Amino acid sequence: GVEKGDELAADAARQTDARKQAKLDKKAEGAYAGALKKFTKATELNPQMHEAWNYVGYTSRKLGKFTEALAAYDRALSIKPGYAEAVEYRGHAYLGLNRLGEAKEAYMALFSANRQLAAKLLSAMQEYVGAQRGAAGVDGAALDAFASWVSERSAIASQTAGLTRAGAA
């Protein structure tokens, strides 16, 4: 399922051999596709299961189906408003669609509700900026503005880490 797909995708990302990487990516894709079928079936059996909708979104996103992922996250959030995992994952999907304003909104919602998931989304935003630098067809000014925002948010997060319950512990 999902864990297997995540393990394979992480292993693929570490590969230096392009053939091995492609093979592992293909296996990860198969694991996500299988998990998507199971989670979709779960939503059919219980349309109010927000966790299943969240994972329909997650597996769809991992398969590059960002629009379908957003619809599933929205469904999870309509059932359980403020569901932090769906807010975070939806932020990743917004990045996949270059919807940077909405990705920033997702981060801000998480920053006040769940610092740990906010940090994961911020890390993905930093990776996004790095991946977009010098890519064809990228709006350089918009990317620079987003990069600057991400940098500011990173500084604020590190300055205020001690103010959270986890930071104070």
Side-chain angles (χ1 to χ4, degrees):
V2 171
E3 292 87 4
K4 187 71 179 161
D6 287 347
E7 285 173 27
L8 289 163
D11 196 13
R14 288 190 291 269
Q15 292 298 322
T16 51
D17 181 305
R19 279 202 322 243
K20 284 182 185 171
Q21 187 176 31
K23 190 175 179 181
L24 287 165
D25 279 335
K26 191 100 177 120
K27 283 185 176 180
E29 200 174 288
Y32 289 131
L36 175 57
K37 282 183 185 157
K38 290 178 183 161
F39 288 119
T40 299
K41 183 73 175 160
T43 64
E44 290 165 4
L45 295 171
N46 181 355
Q48 293 304 305
M49 190 185 297
H50 66 277
E51 300 95 335
W53 283 109
N54 187 45
Y55 278 105
V56 166
Y58 184 89
T59 51
S60 295
R61 178 171 55 88
K62 291 295 188 172
L63 292 166
K65 301 174 181 175
F66 298 110
T67 304
E68 292 91 333
L70 285 179
Y73 296 135
D74 287 345
R75 185 72 185 266
L77 288 162
S78 74
I79 297 164
K80 186 173 181 182
Y83 182 43
E85 285 79 3
V87 173
E88 180 213 346
Y89 293 156
R90 187 169 65 174
H92 291 272
Y94 286 139
L95 288 175
L97 292 167
N98 299 311
R99 290 167 60 175
L100 305 183
E102 288 152 307
K104 291 185 336 188
E105 287 171 20
Y107 173 80
M108 294 307 291
L110 283 172
F111 188 74
S112 60
N114 189 318
R115 284 288 181 94
Q116 201 171 4
L117 295 182
K120 284 184 177 182
L121 182 55
L122 190 63
S123 176
M125 290 172 154
Q126 290 163 333
E127 288 173 24
Y128 171 89
V129 168
Q132 294 296 311
R133 288 264 181 244
V138 172
D139 177 345
L143 184 62
D144 287 345
F146 184 68
S148 176
W149 184 89
V150 169
S151 181
E152 287 168 18
R153 293 312 310 177
S154 184
I156 291 167
S158 64
Q159 289 165 2
T160 59
L163 302 177
T164 64
R165 277 191 218 107

